């Protein structure tokens, strides 16, 4: 479907330094498995799965490591062929620990376990949906934009869905994962979206992409000619276009009510890499055991887009990119806006890891903060129309109830307010603290 | 690396900073500063920069790190406040006024509240407010832009106030930085383009002052161009620290400033309302911030209700204004019928027994006379006259008995402020004119007891009455009537402010057809308008006895001299 319009959400948001040039023309390369991987048994929103292997077992790439759990979960597969050498508690970027399987990689490599490809065209609509949901569950697919919500649950929604949007906004600076995937695997992106669209019975689909990725957009528009119900939708470059509700507002001008899911306005949103993984799982029987990660920033010698086996450490990826350019750069896992700075480089790459950004001192936000001069820029950019200055003033005075009244719980933690603050106040940190206190008091 | 590092994002930051905000706003005031230098000369620049640097240096010891040569002016916030204060000063202020302001800005308005970001009231306006209250003598000078005609001379000027273009460019007397709307708009446009200020406060302010002006029956465009509304709306009310932060809150705050400014102008003794209007709204800012809250993204139903509520309130306000304004318009319609004949109302008021009135010949232009009858018996006269007052024409209705003595007086239509209007309507004022007679009209003005605080309006009433009482006497020909007996084109020249002024006067059939300035070297923006003004005045009055344009005395005299030379006077 042809579509040359450029859209954006109406109020708030800001323009960030993009820094995508570092890696936008760098093809995705496969990182060879390191000597040992530590695969967390929880790489999804929910609870850890129970291990289905024991120490000394030989496992193949793609083999299930764990699938049972009491609650929301996604299946975890091995990303390498090798021997289970132990169990450990891996530390994640947010300082939580999670039970993990340590696997020593076979030097010889080894073959991959594949599922049987599905011939979707032979199925009735009901069977089609059931088959797709079953396959995404078997393949351990979760939302790869960072939220890691299990996709098979998302596809099982009871809400009537009329539109499926693929989120290729990728509004975080530096990161070019979706950018490269849209350039290199546009056919798979459309194929994956079409599978999801038909599975949930939606009549139309969009692939939304910011205009700061012209190559990807051009490629999407070419492929869109082959799909009558799917259009490429260009978006203005504005942070946070990748936030689900704002993406929907921009593309369809529908506003998802507070505390509701996109299903309530008939929309399902998936990440670019997620639909690629769905296409892989359905057509080629491949499970999700590796993901594309952008290793970038001026602190890394050779910025790259890497296909990294899950469980390889952050340090492995940095080493593969030639190490750092300056002593002790700030290592950020995720994007520079919402990501977390880490010290311990043994943290494993998981399904949630979209970027590893090494920031030099000049790039890093290190200014000391000053008094608020009430310039109102935080309010201006807040995509949720909240007053971050007032919320944080309440939080800092332990007036949590008032902070909640001012919109604390509606905050999506995009960090735009803190980015623009001329007084360099750590607003997001204070908001996160306030949210934590509010949640704790609610429990009590 | 420090062990206490920040873990959560954002890990990048914008290049924006407090310092940058302050200096960008200061830079945006550059056009206004330049205009001040051009219009008012080096003393104005001294006033501006002494205020700005004075405040910046005074505040330096309070900034973190104390005084340092590396950044001698600190974060720029005191500099900006001083700059704003300096621009509001009258061009003839004494040398110490900038330092008076700097001390107030730094010690009273800023540091007493806890320094940058903590002050409740706009520091520049606190200083200006204290100056207004402490040295009211300077206030009269600030009246100049509003009351151009009054200050130059008490004669009724055709189009008594400056033209829109003059106000827009700033070629009128006034506070040094406030006169040129153009220069202010250039600066504000720059700030808006660079994203340092939003539009809501300024648009709310200007819009609300225009609407309020309409409700008071004033010219909305003149209201916002004259005086300091433009400056206040673009630079004073938008001060970040002392204005609200939310979108609706900012709009409401701007509207509050606009309404209050015009209300203070019209209903109080202060001719200029911006200072106190903005200070009052500064005080209301914390309340506005917490009560006028925008709906969140996704609060679809609440937003609908809110829109409905706002529409309802707006409808009520519009209705109220329409009713108020409509009544006003209605009243001016009845009053304007005065020109055609004595109104029933005046007959009923002064001559309850009368059957009717007939127009009577009047020797005075601008005075209408009517003889009042019952049957064939004359009862007296009704006279209608008017005179230019404080800022509008005041209409006076006079009733005479058969002895041609004043038996009644009524103040009709006027656009003076409500206070002034009420003052000249007081019986205690009007009673002094009773028994005045047509035999000695000049006594009215000679023995006038003017109301203090409303001298100009009082005098206007007296002059109007004097004119009315002189309705039988043709006005004496003004002195200096030009001899226009010979048709032709005459050239003449005389020395102006800056060299010779040469004019060409065309006389045709006893009228001056045109006065063309052939060459001159006067100051653009000051001298040039004066040339045109003098030419118009001479052409219309056919005399050389015309008012000198204030601020361009030498130019005016030169122009009159040149015309005189041409006509061989």
């Amino acid at each position: 479907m042809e579509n040359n319009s450029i859209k954006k959400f109406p109020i708030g948001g800001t323009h960030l330094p993009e820094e995508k040039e570092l890696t936008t023309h760098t093809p995705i390369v496969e990182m060879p498995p390191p000597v040992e991987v530590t695969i967390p048994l929880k790489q999804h929103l929910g609870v850890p799965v129970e291990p289905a292997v024991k120490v000394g077992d030989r496992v193949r790439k793609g083999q299930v490591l764990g699938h049972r759990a009491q609650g929301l979960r996604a299946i975890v597969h091995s990303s390498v062929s090798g021997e289970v050498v132990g169990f450990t508690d891996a530390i994640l970027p947010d300082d939580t620990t999670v039970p993990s399987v340590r696997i020593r990689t076979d030097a010889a490599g080894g073959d991959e376990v594949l599922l049987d490809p599905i011939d979707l065209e032979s199925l009735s609509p009901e069977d089609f949906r059931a088959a797709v949901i079953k396959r995404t569950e078997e393949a351990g697919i979760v939302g790869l934009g960072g939220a890691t919500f299990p996709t098979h649950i998302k596809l099982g929604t009871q809400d009537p869905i009329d539109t499926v949007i693929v989120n290729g906004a990728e509004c975080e600076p530096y990161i070019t994962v979706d950018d490269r995937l849209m350039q290199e695997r546009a056919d798979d992106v459309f194929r994956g979206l079409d599978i999801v669209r038909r599975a949930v019975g939606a009549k139309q689909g969009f692939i939304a992409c910011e205009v700061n990725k012209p190559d990807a957009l051009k490629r999407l528009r070419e492929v869109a000619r082959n799909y009558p119900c799917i259009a490429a939708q260009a978006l203005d470059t504005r942070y946070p276009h990748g936030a689900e509700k704002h993406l929907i507002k921009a593309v369809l001008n529908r506003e998802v009510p507070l505390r509701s899911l996109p299903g309530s306005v008939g929309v399902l949103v998936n990440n670019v890499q997620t639909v690629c993984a769905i296409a892989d799982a359905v057509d080629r029987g491949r499970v999700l055991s590796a993901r594309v990660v952008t290793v970038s920033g001026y602190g890394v010698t050779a910025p790259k887009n890497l296909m990294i086996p899950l469980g390889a450490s952050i340090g492995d990826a940095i080493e593969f990119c030639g190490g750092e350019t300056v002593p002790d750069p700030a290592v950020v896992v995720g994007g520079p806006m919402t990501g977390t700075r880490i010290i311990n480089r043994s943290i494993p790459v998981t399904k949630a890891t979209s970027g590893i950004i090494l920031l030099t001192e000049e790039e890093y936000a290190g200014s000391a903060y000053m008094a608020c001069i009430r310039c109102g820029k935080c309010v201006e950019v807040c995509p949720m129309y909240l007053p971050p200055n007032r919320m944080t003033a309440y939080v800092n005075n332990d007036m949590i109830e008032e902070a909640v009244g001012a919109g604390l719980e509606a905050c999506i933690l995009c960090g735009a307010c803190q980015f623009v603050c001329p007084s360099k106040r750590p607003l997001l940190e204070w908001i996160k603290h306030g949210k934590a206190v509010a949640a704790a008091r609610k429990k009590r | 690396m420090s062990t206490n590092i920040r873990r959560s994002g954002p890990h990048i930051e914008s290049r924006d900073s407090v310092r940058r905000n302050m200096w960008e706003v200061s830079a945006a005031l550059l056009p206004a500063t330049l205009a001040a230098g051009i219009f008012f000369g080096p003393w104005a620049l001294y006033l501006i920069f002494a205020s700005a640097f004075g405040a910046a240096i005074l505040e330096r010891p309070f900034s973190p790190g104390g005084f340092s040569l590396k950044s001698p002016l600190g974060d720029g916030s005191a500099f900006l406040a001083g700059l704003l204060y300096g621009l509001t000063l009258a061009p003839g202020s004494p040398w110490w006024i900038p330092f008076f302001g700097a001390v107030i800005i730094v010690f009273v308005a800023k540091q007493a509240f806890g320094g940058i970001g903590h002050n409740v009231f706009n520091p520049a306006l606190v200083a200006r407010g204290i100056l207004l209250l402490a040295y009211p003598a300077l206030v009269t000078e600030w009246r100049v832009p509003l009351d151009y005609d009054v200050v130059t001379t008490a004669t009724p000027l055709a189009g008594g106030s400056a033209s829109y273009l003059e106000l827009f460019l700033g070629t009128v007397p006034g506070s040094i930085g406030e006169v040129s709307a153009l220069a202010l708009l250039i600066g504000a446009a720059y700030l808006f383009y660079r994203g340092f200020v939003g539009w809501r406060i300024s648009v709310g302010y200007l819009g609300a002052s225009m609407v309020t002006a309409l409700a008071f029956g004033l010219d909305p465009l003149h209201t916002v161009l004259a005086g300091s509304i433009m400056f206040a709306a673009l630079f004073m009310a938008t001060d970040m620290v002392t204005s609200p932060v939310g979108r609706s809150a900012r709009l409401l705050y701007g509207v509050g400033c606009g309404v209050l400014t015009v209300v203070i102008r019209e209903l109080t003794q202060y001719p200029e309302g911006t200072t106190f209007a903005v200070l009052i709204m500064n005080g209301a800012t914390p309340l506005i911030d917490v009560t006028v809250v925008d709906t969140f993204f996704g609060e679809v139903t609440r937003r609908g209700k809110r829109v409905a509520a706002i529409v309802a309130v707006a409808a009520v306000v519009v209705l109220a204004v329409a009713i108020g304004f409509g009544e006003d318009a209605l009243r001016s319609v009845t009053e304007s019928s005065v020109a055609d004949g004595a109104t029933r109302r005046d007959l009923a008021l002064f001559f309850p027994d009368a059957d009717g009135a007939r127009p009577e010949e009047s020797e005075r232009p601008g005075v209408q006379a009517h003889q009042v009858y019952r049957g064939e018996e004359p009862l007296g006269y009704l006279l209608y006259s008017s005179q230019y007052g404080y800022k509008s024409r005041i209409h006076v209705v006079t009733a005479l008995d058969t002895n041609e003595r004043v038996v009644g007086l009524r103040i009709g239509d006027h656009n003076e402020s409500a206070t002034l209007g009420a003052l000249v309507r007081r019986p205690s004022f009007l009673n002094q004119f009773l028994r005045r007679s047509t035999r000695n009209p000049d006594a009215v003005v000679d023995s006038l007891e003017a109301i203090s605080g409303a001298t100009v309006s009082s005098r206007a009433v007296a002059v109007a009455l004097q004119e009315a009482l002189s309705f039988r006497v043709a006005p004496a020909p003004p002195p200096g009537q030009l001899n226009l007996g010979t048709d032709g084109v005459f050239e003449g020249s005389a020395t102006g402010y800056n060299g010779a002024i040469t004019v060409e006067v065309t006389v045709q059939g006893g009228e001056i057809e045109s006065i063309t300035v052939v060459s001159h070297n006067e100051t653009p923006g000051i001298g040039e308008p004066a040339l045109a003004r003098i030419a118009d005045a001479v052409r219309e009055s056919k005399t050389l006895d015309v008012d000198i344009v204030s601020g361009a005395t030498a130019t005016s005299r030169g122009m009159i001299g040149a015309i005189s030379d041409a006509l061989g006077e």
Side-chain angles (χ1 to χ4, degrees):
Chain A
M1 203 158 63
E2 287 266 337
N3 178 9
N4 290 318
S5 64
I6 298 176
K7 294 183 174 176
K8 61 180 180 184
F9 58 91
I11 303 176
T14 185
H15 193 108
L16 301 176
E18 293 163 17
E19 306 292 1
K20 307 235 183 212
E21 277 305 306
L22 288 172
T23 49
T24 182
H25 304 298
T26 316
I28 298 167
V29 293
E30 205 156 318
M31 182 176 126
V35 181
E36 188 179 305
V37 294
T38 305
I39 301 176
L41 290 170
K42 171 177 144 14
Q43 302 180 37
H44 46 265
L45 196 72
V47 295
V49 292
E50 291 165 21
V53 291
K54 42 188 202 306
V55 176
D57 279 3
R58 295 206 64 80
V59 294
R60 292 156 69 200
K61 182 182 178 190
Q63 185 179 327
V64 173
L65 293 181
H67 57 87
R68 270 205 308 247
Q70 302 288 324
L72 191 62
R73 64 95 176 93
I75 296 174
V76 175
H77 302 84
S78 177
S79 60
V80 295
S81 296
E83 183 189 346
V84 176
V85 290
F87 292 91
T88 182
D89 279 340
I91 301 169
L92 295 184
D94 62 2
D95 277 348
T96 57
T97 57
V98 55
S100 308
V101 187
R102 286 170 52 209
I103 300 172
R104 186 171 302 137
T105 313
D106 284 345
D111 56 342
E112 183 179 352
V113 183
L114 293 175
L115 306 167
D116 297 326
I118 310 172
D119 178 20
L120 289 171
E121 306 313 317
S122 64
L123 299 173
S124 69
E126 295 82 52
D127 291 347
F128 185 106
R129 181 172 197 175
V132 171
I133 290 176
K134 180 156 179 284
R135 176 50 54 95
T136 51
E137 181 174 7
E138 289 168 344
I141 297 173
V142 300
L144 294 172
T148 63
F149 187 81
T151 304
H152 63 277
I153 306 288
K154 199 175 201 173
L155 297 185
T157 175
Q158 295 303 308
D159 292 315
I161 302 295
D162 60 50
T163 307
V164 177
I165 302 175
V166 167
N167 184 351
E170 206 164 51
C171 51
E172 279 266 14
Y174 296 95
I175 297 184
T176 54
V177 172
D178 299 342
D179 183 6
R180 283 312 302 179
L181 283 170
M182 289 186 288
Q183 290 181 50
E184 295 177 29
R185 297 183 60 191
D187 288 307
D188 279 343
V189 177
F190 276 81
R191 169 69 182 154
L193 168 56
D194 205 41
I195 292 170
V196 172
R197 182 186 70 78
R198 287 162 68 190
V200 298
K203 64 181 194 317
Q204 59 175 351
F206 290 97
I207 299 170
C209 171
E210 286 192 345
V211 291
N212 64 353
K213 295 178 267 293
D215 296 343
L217 200 54
K218 188 166 153 245
R219 185 78 188 100
L220 290 178
R221 282 179 171 153
E222 280 167 20
V223 181
R225 295 197 198 108
N226 311 331
Y227 288 84
C229 318
I230 300 177
Q233 177 61 60
L235 301 175
D236 200 13
T237 305
R238 191 134 68 115
Y239 183 82
H241 253 137
E244 197 169 60
K245 291 180 176 180
H246 293 83
L247 188 76
I248 296 169
K249 181 79 180 170
V251 174
L252 299 170
N253 196 24
R254 294 183 199 168
E255 198 162 314
V256 181
L258 218 54
R259 291 178 287 274
S260 301
L261 293 172
S264 63
V265 292
V267 183
L268 197 87
V269 179
N270 279 297
N271 174 264
V272 168
Q273 194 166 184
T274 312
V275 292
C276 280
I278 291 172
D280 271 343
V282 170
D283 293 345
R284 303 176 194 106
R286 299 187 66 172
V287 301
L288 182 62
S289 66
R291 69 157 292 155
V292 183
V293 177
T294 298
V295 184
S296 186
Y298 294 93
V300 68
T301 308
K304 283 187 170 66
N305 296 298
L306 289 183
M307 179 67 106
I308 303 180
L310 299 175
S313 76
I314 305 275
D316 292 336
I318 295 173
E319 282 314 306
F320 185 74
C321 293
E324 54 226 31
T325 56
V326 291
D328 247 342
V331 181
V332 173
V333 176
M337 290 298 285
T338 57
T340 309
R341 183 171 175 183
I342 60 160
I343 304 292
N344 181 350
R345 297 190 186 181
S346 67
I347 289 173
V349 170
T350 69
K351 293 172 185 176
T353 313
S354 55
I356 299 167
I357 314 296
L358 275 67
L359 298 170
T360 61
E361 211 168 307
E362 292 83 67
E363 297 166 272
Y364 196 79
S367 310
Y369 73 83
M370 296 176 59
C372 173
I373 55 165
R374 302 173 44 82
C375 65
K377 284 185 179 138
C378 53
V379 183
E380 236 163 78
V381 300
C382 179
M384 297 304 287
Y385 319 159
L386 308 175
N389 64 326
R390 206 150 52 81
M391 277 154 46
T392 53
Y394 286 137
V395 168
N396 289 342
N397 287 289
D398 200 30
M399 296 162 74
I400 300 299
E401 253 172 61
E402 286 83 350
V404 170
L408 187 68
E409 285 171 336
C411 173
I412 57 169
L413 303 177
C414 72
C417 50
Q418 185 173 329
F419 174 82
V420 298
C421 181
S423 288
K424 312 296 171 198
R425 295 167 72 76
L427 299 169
L428 193 60
E429 206 171 293
W430 291 332
I431 290 172
K432 282 180 175 168
H433 169 72
K435 278 191 175 225
V437 175
R441 292 200 184 160
K442 220 180 238 179
K443 251 182 225 164
R444 228 179 332 149
Chain B
M1 185 180 291
S2 144
T3 49
N4 186 20
I5 59 159
R6 186 145 86 211
R7 303 294 305 277
S8 100
H11 302 282
I12 50 176
E13 63 191 14
S14 63
R15 292 181 183 282
D16 201 5
S17 69
V18 171
R19 182 181 293 247
R20 188 164 174 160
N21 271 271
M22 298 301 167
W23 289 113
E24 290 273 356
V25 178
S26 301
L29 286 165
L30 209 59
T33 308
L34 279 178
I38 292 169
F39 294 146
F40 300 108
W43 187 249
L45 294 179
Y46 161 76
L47 292 173
I48 296 170
F49 287 115
S51 307
F53 284 101
I57 290 165
L58 267 184
E59 191 178 64
R60 205 60 195 90
F62 296 99
S63 312
F67 185 83
S68 82
L69 284 175
K70 213 169 138 199
S71 57
L73 297 176
D75 54 30
S77 63
F79 183 90
L80 175 58
L83 191 61
L84 286 167
Y85 167 80
L87 287 167
T88 66
L89 295 175
S93 303
W95 68 270
W96 52 270
I97 287 285
F99 302 104
F100 173 86
V103 168
I104 303 272
I105 286 170
V106 173
F107 295 104
V108 180
K110 289 194 74 188
Q111 296 306 329
F113 286 89
I116 184 168
H118 300 293
N119 49 304
V120 179
F121 299 102
N122 183 330
L125 284 180
V126 170
R128 184 180 177 173
I130 291 178
L131 193 67
L132 275 174
L133 298 171
Y135 298 97
L138 287 164
V139 179
T140 43
E141 281 192 67
W142 283 328
R143 279 185 178 175
V144 172
L146 276 178
D147 309 307
Y148 188 55
D149 51 290
V150 171
V151 169
T152 35
T153 149
T155 55
L157 281 176
S161 47
S163 73
Y164 292 146
L165 185 68
E166 285 173 308
L167 288 169
F168 186 68
L169 296 176
T171 56
V172 290
S175 296
I176 45 185
E178 297 176 348
V179 289
S180 176
L182 177 66
L184 295 171
L185 281 170
I186 291 173
Y190 168 78
L191 279 189
F192 181 75
Y193 172 73
R194 303 265 294 158
F196 285 97
V197 295
W199 55 270
R200 287 182 175 78
I201 293 176
S202 305
V203 169
Y205 197 144
L206 295 176
S209 18
M210 289 173 91
V211 170
T212 316
L214 266 180
F216 275 106
L218 302 170
D219 174 358
L221 203 54
H222 189 269
T223 301
V224 297
L225 286 175
S228 53
I229 284 192
M230 194 60 86
F231 187 71
L234 297 178
F235 290 101
M236 284 296 193
T238 52
D239 171 57
M240 296 164 183
V241 176
T242 55
S243 59
V245 168
R247 290 185 180 82
S248 323
R250 283 189 163 172
L251 198 58
L252 184 83
Y253 164 87
V255 167
C257 287
V259 172
L260 275 179
T261 300
V262 179
V263 166
I264 291 174
R265 273 189 186 182
E266 287 304 302
L267 298 186
T268 74
Q269 296 283 345
Y270 287 98
E272 184 49 284
T274 53
T275 303
F276 295 113
V278 175
L279 284 174
I280 289 167
M281 292 311 289
N282 283 166
T285 290
L287 183 67
I288 297 177
D289 250 343
V290 296
T291 48
V292 186
V293 181
D294 292 300
T295 52
F296 308 154
F297 182 94
E299 287 190 317
V300 189
T301 46
R302 206 176 123 200
R303 192 171 311 144
K305 284 181 197 162
R306 172 179 279 250
V307 167
I310 290 173
V311 167
V313 170
V316 169
V317 169
V318 166
L319 207 66
V321 169
I323 289 171
F325 187 54
E327 199 215 19
D328 202 57
L330 215 62
R331 204 174 60 224
S332 27
V333 168
T334 47
E335 297 292 344
S336 69
S337 66
V338 161
D340 308 325
T343 62
R344 203 170 285 282
R345 175 178 164 190
D346 288 323
L347 280 179
L349 183 66
F350 296 118
F351 301 99
D353 302 335
D355 295 338
R358 273 179 232 135
E360 177 89 1
E361 192 128 314
S362 164
E363 295 291 335
R364 296 269 161 170
V367 177
Q368 271 105 44
H370 302 269
Q371 193 163 22
V372 184
Y373 290 93
R374 183 176 60 198
E376 285 303 304
E377 179 199 349
L379 293 180
Y381 296 91
L382 267 180
L383 304 171
Y384 292 88
S385 57
S386 67
Q387 183 62 30
Y388 210 86
Y390 177 66
K391 62 179 160 192
S392 74
R393 200 163 268 284
I394 302 177
H395 290 267
V396 175
V397 184
T398 313
L400 304 183
D401 61 11
T402 45
N403 291 326
E404 301 194 355
R405 283 179 178 276
V406 177
V407 291
L409 206 64
R410 183 173 76 78
I411 305 300
D413 202 14
H414 69 84
N415 263 337
E416 303 290 81
S417 73
T419 328
L420 292 176
L423 287 174
V424 295
R425 276 202 169 117
R426 278 188 190 159
S428 60
F429 169 68
L430 294 179
N431 282 344
Q432 65 173 302
F433 301 119
L434 289 179
R435 312 305 300 160
R436 293 281 173 217
S437 150
T438 53
R439 280 179 283 284
N440 188 10
D442 295 346
V444 175
V445 176
D446 294 345
S447 63
L448 169 71
E449 281 176 40
I451 304 166
S452 74
T455 323
V456 176
S457 302
S458 310
R459 195 178 153 78
V461 171
V463 172
L465 179 59
Q466 180 190 29
E467 282 282 299
L469 292 178
S470 315
F471 78 100
R472 289 192 194 288
V473 189
Q481 187 87 43
L482 289 168
N483 174 16
L484 301 171
T486 330
D487 290 355
V489 181
F490 307 97
E491 198 180 276
S493 69
T495 308
Y497 177 68
N498 198 14
I501 302 171
T502 308
V503 297
E504 231 174 57
V505 185
T506 312
V507 179
Q508 179 74 46
E511 301 280 339
I512 299 175
E513 201 168 81
S514 69
I515 300 176
T516 320
V517 179
V518 181
S519 69
H520 75 89
N521 202 14
E522 302 302 298
T523 322
I526 301 170
E528 272 183 342
L531 293 177
R533 203 176 265 246
I534 295 290
D536 285 348
V538 170
R539 202 156 52 81
E540 271 165 33
S541 68
K542 297 188 210 166
T543 81
L544 292 176
D545 186 26
V546 296
D547 294 320
I548 302 297
V549 177
S550 90
T553 314
T555 306
S556 306
R557 296 233 163 93
M559 182 67 178
I560 293 169
I563 298 169
S564 165
D565 185 35
L567 295 176
E569 289 286 320

